[in-house]
Amino acid sequence: MNILITGGAGFIGSHVVRLFVNRYPDYYIVNMDKLTYAGNLANLADVEDKPNYSFVRADICDFETVMGVLKEHHIEGIIHLAAESHVDRSIRDPFSFAQTNVMGTLSLLQAARNYWESLPEGYEGKRFYHISTDEVYGALDFDNSFFTEDTKYDPHSPYSASKAASDHFVRAFHDTYGMPTIVTNCSNNYGPYQFPEKLIPLFINNIRQGKSLPVYGKGENVRDWLYVEDHARAIDLIFHKGRIADTYNIGGFNEWRNIDLIKVIIATVDRLLGNAEGTSLSLISYVTDRPGHDLRYAIDSTKLKEELGWEPSLQFEEGIERTVRWYLDNEEWMRQVTSGDYRRYYEEMYSNRQ
Ligand code: NAD
Ligand code: TYD
């Protein structure tokens, strides 16, 4: 199978690319990524020379280029992860979220439709898999309720609104044109290669550097955390075995109040750095809350377990230990990302090629 993965240089995308390239030597994997601030080819250094992998730097909004790549590589499956993904950025700059997440997804859908409908076999054997988020469902109270696949969409941030719109377009392409689509909505991911603007890598890095830890509001908001490799495994399973036109929620039944999670991170980093217990607790600094801050997310992934047998493989304690170790061991990756050096390198590399 020839598969296009979009956003493969980002956090989750890089884990999906790595899994597919290594697990399926008979597949050909094309990674299309614009390399925004969040895209970093260093995330894929271990697979870049594999014969079943290639990288294309392109914007998914560039319809002609997307069409060209689909045709050139005879793409049969698309796993779409490219997106603007950070809520705080979406509050500052909602336009770029509408552009990439909505218009970019539409561009990809329309290109796939044009290409697949031009083939003698049409949509036979094709698959458009859209990766979405639990944030489209809005926010839950502290009442033991969960988001299921039937929960009504109720997005609150420009990020979640743009993801919701993109989900609707994907489903519309199935209903209107018969495109074989699948949508999954996953909870918060954590693990190696996450850009340090998101809570977990940001806080690990700040603790290491003795910088303050900005806790929004009272730190009472709850998120449901899943180790990124477990998400990648779910994507693999659903891409191959998921029912067309269906939706699956992905989550680990692993809810944490931010402040409790932050204390686990502090304890783990302090222990691994050899600091006395509690050393970095003084770095906690309560700051003004995020506007429209969703109170609680919690995913019910029973359907995925019952229909396809997926379950998270890692206990949270093990996942967080692995994650903290990875960031502490990969100081150079963190230095490049936080200094912006990785971007200068790509800008030079690409300007030399033109
Ligand atoms: P990320 O920000 O780390 O990576 C996004 C990638 O997309 C980057 O490599 C970036 O360069 C690329 N990209 C951005 N705009 C592009 C464009 N116009 N054209 C081509 N490439 C572009 O994001 P992530 O955390 O890996 O999330 C990946 C997907 O998973 C997103 O669709 C996100 O909504 C979804 N998701 C994320 C989480 C999470 O916790 N991180 C949870 C559920 C769902
Ligand atoms: P984040 O990693 O940005 O993911 P999302 O907003 O998609 O859930 O944030 C996770 C939680 O941590 C969220 O409730 C906001 C909170 N948070 C802070 O308290 N301080 C921070 O500096 C960041 C980045 C997030």
Side-chain angles (χ1 to χ4, degrees):
M1 214 177 180
N2 299 326
I3 300 175
L4 175 69
I5 299 181
T6 70
F11 166 47
I12 303 173
S14 63
H15 289 274
V16 176
V17 167
R18 179 175 297 102
L19 178 66
F20 273 69
V21 167
N22 288 330
R23 183 158 190 203
Y24 302 107
D26 295 345
Y27 287 5
Y28 193 74
I29 308 298
V30 180
N31 172 14
M32 179 187 287
D33 198 296
K34 184 180 173 183
L35 298 182
T36 68
Y37 78 94
N40 183 356
L41 288 178
N43 298 355
L44 289 166
D46 54 328
V47 296
E48 66 187 4
D49 294 329
K50 298 268 173 150
N52 62 337
Y53 169 75
S54 68
F55 173 71
V56 181
R57 187 181 192 185
D59 186 334
I60 53 166
C61 301
D62 178 353
F63 176 81
E64 296 301 332
T65 300
V66 176
M67 266 310 279
V69 168
L70 296 182
K71 281 187 188 162
E72 182 189 343
H73 295 284
H74 307 283
I75 294 296
E76 298 156 288
I78 298 175
I79 306 178
H80 174 35
L81 297 110
E84 288 294 337
S85 68
H86 188 44
V87 173
D88 294 329
R89 279 180 195 261
S90 82
I91 294 168
R92 290 195 296 273
D93 175 22
F95 277 112
S96 61
F97 282 69
Q99 180 64 19
T100 285
N101 299 0
V102 186
M103 295 306 289
T105 300
L106 183 55
S107 155
L108 204 58
L109 283 163
Q110 183 70 353
R113 177 181 163 228
N114 281 10
Y115 173 52
W116 288 340
E117 287 187 359
S118 75
L119 300 173
E121 76 277 12
Y123 288 122
E124 178 90 37
K126 309 300 188 301
R127 196 155 276 220
F128 188 108
Y129 180 178
H130 176 61
I131 308 301
S132 191
T133 165
D134 58 357
E135 302 191 26
V136 298
Y137 296 126
L140 298 167
D141 274 327
F142 296 128
D143 57 2
N144 292 323
S145 56
F146 288 93
F147 297 134
T148 72
E149 288 80 359
D150 298 322
T151 302
K152 194 166 78 63
Y153 274 33
D154 182 23
H156 297 146
S157 72
Y159 165 63
S160 54
S162 67
K163 290 298 289 187
S166 66
D167 295 8
H168 291 317
F169 268 109
V170 173
R171 295 191 178 104
F173 266 63
H174 171 266
D175 296 349
T176 308
Y177 308 112
M179 184 180 284
T181 59
I182 300 188
V183 177
T184 55
N185 298 85
C186 187
S187 61
N188 285 60
N189 284 214
Y190 70 100
Y193 301 112
Q194 187 168 31
F195 195 83
E197 61 186 350
K198 307 277 168 62
L199 179 76
I200 292 182
L202 176 72
F203 277 34
I204 295 171
N205 196 39
N206 282 10
I207 298 166
R208 199 175 49 78
Q209 298 189 335
K211 289 190 187 161
S212 84
L213 307 174
V215 180
Y216 298 163
K218 293 183 181 150
E220 283 176 342
N221 304 65
V222 171
R223 296 293 181 266
D224 182 357
W225 294 94
L226 181 68
Y227 192 68
V228 61
E229 288 179 6
D230 277 328
H231 188 190
R233 275 195 314 108
I235 290 172
D236 177 14
L237 184 66
I238 294 164
F239 179 76
H240 290 98
K241 304 241 169 76
R243 217 171 320 134
I244 294 300
D246 218 339
T247 298
Y248 297 88
N249 279 353
I250 309 173
F253 290 105
N254 180 42
E255 290 179 53
W256 285 83
R257 240 176 19 135
N258 287 344
I259 192 63
D260 298 331
L261 172 68
I262 289 162
K263 286 179 182 164
V264 171
I265 296 169
I266 289 172
T268 312
V269 177
D270 274 343
R271 176 167 49 77
L272 293 177
L273 288 180
N275 296 337
E277 202 180 323
T279 303
S280 302
L281 282 171
S282 60
L283 297 175
I284 290 178
S285 156
Y286 291 93
V287 299
T288 310
D289 207 356
R290 172 188 278 174
H293 197 175
D294 286 334
L295 188 62
R296 174 174 165 256
Y297 302 144
I299 274 277
D300 180 350
S301 52
T302 308
K303 173 173 165 179
L304 182 56
K305 181 178 178 190
E306 287 182 352
E307 287 191 14
L308 299 179
W310 176 89
E311 276 187 287
S313 67
L314 272 193
Q315 292 298 314
F316 185 67
E317 289 66 25
E318 195 186 340
I320 207 76
E321 174 94 13
R322 260 196 215 183
T323 302
V324 172
R325 271 187 200 282
W326 190 86
Y327 286 101
L328 296 181
D329 288 349
N330 287 273
E331 227 176 298
E332 179 56 16
W333 180 91
M334 186 60 92
R335 195 199 59 73
Q336 294 246 351
V337 170
T338 48
S339 67
D341 280 359
Y342 73 115
R343 296 207 49 73
R344 279 191 282 282
Y345 170 75
Y346 295 127
E347 292 318 326
E348 270 167 33
M349 181 167 92
Y350 281 94
S351 64
N352 289 342
R353 279 190 193 173
Q354 282 155 9

